[in-house]
């Protein structure tokens, strides 16, 4: 399912020889770098964002091909990148910070992890049936709560929200289900709360809001402050989901966002990094046709994103060329 990086150094030579043996010399008539892109669940906006990136880059590039594929979340993405089973990944700032330093879920420091660019803030969203009495995350004690798959951002950040409101692991029936399973569970009455971390207006959530009477839970300022204290600087930012974003959503929803980054290894060729950034940012109108989530990649968002790991050598220069300011990396 994943694609291997081709045409770089010794690895390129070995892959080139293997290709000649299998397909004949004609297969090498045109060199092309192929990159597997590990993203998020197939119903998530992270996956759709990656599709938008791949579409505009691939259409405009004869020598670079990006193939996005769904995954169980950023922890899996990190593992795939470490093992060269993916060459591009989506990562959250907080998890990338931990991976780079070998903390938490990461047994060793991934010092080769590099930032390509921040793309948007994926939002913590907690959705319950409208008839459920629970009005706050703290009132989900004893309830059947979907948490997202192990290793997903939702499984991490939603548990932090619950902990901040006095609901600890074991105080509720945790269901580490995929987004698709959670949507079905809420719709069928088998789940009391769906939780996810994804972009505003995600199709899967739009569909749920039109097929079931549901409402969104807000995160209080006090809870947000507590969650920010559980994470490194810049890992979470306050966000409002405007009223009317979803069917039945009559009021603003206060929550927080997790900045999402495209990341790679330090050995990803400079030319590939430059092409990804310049071709994507130079074709935003086309990218919006694929998915409007790309509207989250604003100059203000990029300029305000604190890099949790070192920039790839070519990334900051390419962003600057496109008119995007960046913050420096700080240990």
């Amino acid at each position: 399912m994943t694609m291997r990086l081709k045409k770089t150094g010794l690895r390129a030579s070995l892959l080139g020889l293997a290709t000649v043996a299998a397909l004949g010399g004609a297969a090498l008539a045109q060199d092309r770098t192929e990159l597997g892109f590990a993203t998020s669940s197939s119903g998530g906006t992270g996956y759709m964002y990656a599709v938008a990136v791949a579409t505009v880059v691939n259409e405009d590039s004869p020598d670079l091909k990006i193939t996005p594929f769904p995954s169980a979340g950023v922890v899996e993405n990190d593992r795939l990148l470490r093992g060269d089973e993916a060459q591009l990944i989506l990562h959250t700032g907080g998890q990338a910070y931990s991976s780079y330093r070998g903390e938490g879920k990461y047994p060793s420091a991934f010092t080769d992890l590099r930032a390509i660019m921040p793309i948007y803030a994926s939002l913590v969203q907690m959705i319950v049936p409208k008839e459920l009495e629970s009005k706050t995350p703290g009132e989900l004690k004893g309830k059947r709560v979907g948490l997202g798959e192990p290793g997903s951002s939702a499984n991490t950040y939603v548990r932090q929200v619950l902990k901040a409101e006095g609901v600890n692991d074991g105080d509720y029936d945790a269901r580490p289900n995929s987004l698709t399973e959670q949507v079905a569970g809420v719709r069928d009455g088998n789940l009391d709360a769906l939780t996810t971390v994804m972009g505003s207006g995600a199709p899967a959530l739009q569909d749920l809001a039109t097929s079931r009477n549901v409402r969104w839970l807000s995160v209080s300022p006090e809870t947000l402050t507590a969650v920010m204290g559980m994470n490194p600087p810049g890992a979470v930012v306050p966000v409002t989901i405007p009223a009317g974003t979803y069917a039945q959503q009559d009021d603003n929803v206060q929550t927080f966002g997790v900045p999402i980054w495209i990341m790679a290894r330090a050995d990803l060729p400079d030319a590939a990094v430059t092409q990804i950034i310049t071709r994507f940012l130079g074709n935003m109108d086309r990218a919006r046709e694929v998915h409007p989530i790309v509207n989250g990649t604003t100059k203000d968002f990029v300029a305000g994103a604190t890099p949790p790991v070192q920039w790839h050598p070519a990334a900051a220069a390419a962003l600057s060329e496109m008119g995007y300011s960046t913050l420096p990396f700080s240990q």
Side-chain angles (χ1 to χ4, degrees):
M1 191 175 200
T2 61
M3 305 294 292
R4 285 299 205 184
L5 177 64
K6 296 183 180 179
K7 295 299 162 192
T8 57
L10 176 60
R11 177 167 45 185
S13 299
L14 294 175
L15 287 173
L17 290 173
T19 304
V20 170
L23 302 176
L28 293 181
Q30 180 173 315
D31 294 347
R32 182 167 65 175
T33 299
E34 299 188 357
L35 306 176
F37 193 170
T39 61
S40 66
S41 62
S42 58
T45 48
Y47 176 75
M48 292 306 302
Y49 197 109
V51 169
V53 171
T55 298
V56 297
V57 172
N58 293 348
E59 286 178 348
D60 197 36
S61 176
D63 57 357
L64 181 65
K65 180 181 179 182
I66 300 173
T67 302
F69 60 92
S71 76
V74 297
V75 174
E76 180 187 17
N77 291 353
D78 190 274
R79 178 185 63 78
L80 293 171
L81 185 62
R82 288 178 185 238
D84 198 29
E85 297 177 71
Q87 290 74 48
L88 294 171
I89 65 169
L90 294 183
H91 224 322
T92 61
Q95 290 296 317
Y97 181 99
S98 296
S99 173
Y100 186 78
R101 294 158 179 81
E103 301 171 352
K105 301 174 182 178
Y106 305 97
S108 62
F110 191 7
T111 56
D112 283 341
L113 184 61
R114 294 292 184 269
I116 303 299
M117 66 175 172
I119 51 176
Y120 70 99
S122 194
L123 310 184
V124 171
Q125 302 185 61
M126 309 180 72
I127 306 163
V128 299
K130 190 162 285 187
E131 67 272 14
L132 192 74
E133 294 182 358
S134 303
K135 306 296 183 185
T136 67
E139 295 175 346
L140 293 176
K141 186 175 292 187
K143 304 300 184 184
R144 301 166 297 177
V145 179
L147 280 182
E149 297 175 273
S152 68
S153 299
N155 200 287
T156 298
Y157 293 106
V158 171
R159 288 171 61 212
Q160 291 181 353
V161 170
L162 294 173
K163 182 178 180 180
E165 298 204 6
V167 183
N168 298 309
D169 292 349
D171 291 341
Y172 55 97
D173 182 2
R175 306 284 183 88
N177 297 333
S178 69
L179 177 63
T180 300
E181 291 169 333
Q182 289 194 68
V183 168
V186 171
R187 182 183 290 128
D188 299 339
N190 298 319
L191 195 64
D192 297 313
L194 176 155
T195 70
T196 186
V197 178
M198 61 174 46
S200 179
L205 303 185
Q206 292 282 16
D207 179 65
L208 177 62
T210 58
S211 61
R212 180 76 159 86
N213 290 327
V214 294
R215 54 187 167 79
W216 272 248
L217 301 183
S218 281
V219 175
S220 70
E222 295 77 16
T223 295
L224 175 58
T225 298
V227 171
M228 291 178 74
M230 300 177 192
N231 291 281
V236 298
V237 292
V239 176
T240 298
I241 303 176
T245 299
Y246 298 98
Q248 309 177 61
Q249 184 208 338
D250 299 326
D251 301 313
N252 291 341
V253 176
Q254 305 303 323
T255 185
F256 61 91
V258 179
I260 303 297
W261 292 75
I262 297 176
M263 294 195 173
R265 298 177 66 101
D267 63 357
L268 185 64
D270 289 359
V273 174
T274 300
Q275 288 179 42
I276 290 167
I277 292 174
T278 58
R279 287 174 176 164
F280 172 63
L281 295 179
N283 291 279
M284 291 296 282
D285 287 343
R286 173 67 178 115
R288 291 185 191 98
E289 294 176 359
V290 181
H291 201 285
I293 188 62
V294 301
N295 287 323
T297 307
T298 65
K299 291 186 176 181
D300 286 344
F301 176 75
V302 173
T306 301
V309 304
Q310 292 187 59
W311 287 102
H312 187 284
L319 286 167
S320 177
E321 180 183 333
M322 300 301 294
Y324 289 74
S325 300
T326 57
L327 293 173
F329 169 70
S330 178
Q331 284 282 9

